[in-house]
Amino acid sequence: PEDIALLVMLERIDLYDNALTGSIPQTINSLVALRYLYLQNNQLNGTIPSAVGDIVSLEQLTLNNNQFSGEIPLSIRTHSGLTHLYLNNNALEGPVPSETYTDCVMTQNTGLCAPHDVSNGCTAGLEICVTDCVKLAAWLPAKFRGTGE
């Protein structure tokens, strides 16, 4: 609910396994002390609001096993304070975060794609973003590059 934004000093939200529906309110960034957001195993949908990534104190974000769609917001993909990120089993698409995590799982999001260097602690199972085959060939180890012979 929108009223949760009034709890500005809240550090932890544990609302997993509650069959919650709807979306995360944009006002969530009012929770300036929030460090842990656990909303996994619900029926939340829509896009993940960029406001989630605006919470500077956020360390762990667990949104797996919901129905989120669209891209992971840039504010989350570049959030340097996140140590644990769980977004698996949603309908997310687009690029994956570039930050390094202690633990990160994003599998079972068929639209997510990774740059050539996915050494950021994220569990694989992601497709490489293929937009330029010439550049893709340069990323592949030599033994996988065709020589044309």
Side-chain angles (χ1 to χ4, degrees):
E2 294 282 332
D3 291 345
I4 200 162
L6 300 174
L7 305 171
V8 294
M9 298 311 294
L10 191 64
E11 291 187 13
R12 182 183 193 115
I13 295 177
D14 283 316
L15 293 173
Y16 58 90
D17 293 326
N18 279 291
L20 298 175
T21 59
S23 59
I24 298 173
Q26 283 286 349
T27 55
I28 195 157
N29 62 355
S30 299
L31 304 176
V32 296
L34 190 66
R35 294 175 54 206
Y36 308 100
L37 180 58
Y38 301 113
L39 297 175
Q40 71 269 27
N41 302 323
N42 283 295
Q43 297 168 23
L44 298 172
N45 58 30
T47 59
I48 301 170
S50 61
V52 172
D54 295 338
I55 305 169
V56 177
S57 58
L58 193 63
E59 297 173 22
Q60 295 187 19
L61 178 60
T62 306
L63 302 177
N64 53 296
N65 299 314
N66 278 290
Q67 300 164 10
F68 290 112
S69 59
E71 288 194 5
I72 301 168
L74 181 61
S75 61
I76 292 173
R77 294 191 323 244
T78 59
H79 193 298
S80 60
L82 276 175
T83 58
H84 294 75
L85 180 63
Y86 304 99
L87 301 174
N88 49 302
N89 201 19
N90 280 289
L92 298 170
E93 57 190 39
V96 298
S98 57
E99 294 299 320
T100 301
Y101 303 95
T102 302
D103 197 15
C104 173
V105 181
M106 287 187 251
T107 56
Q108 296 175 325
N109 285 289
T110 56
L112 283 181
C113 56
H116 70 285
D117 181 16
V118 189
S119 58
N120 63 355
C122 287
T123 299
L126 304 171
E127 297 296 320
I128 293 176
C129 296
V130 179
T131 56
D132 185 335
C133 291
V134 174
K135 289 181 184 177
L136 177 62
W139 296 339
L140 293 173
K143 66 181 180 180
F144 295 115
R145 290 186 210 145
T147 60
E149 298 175 11

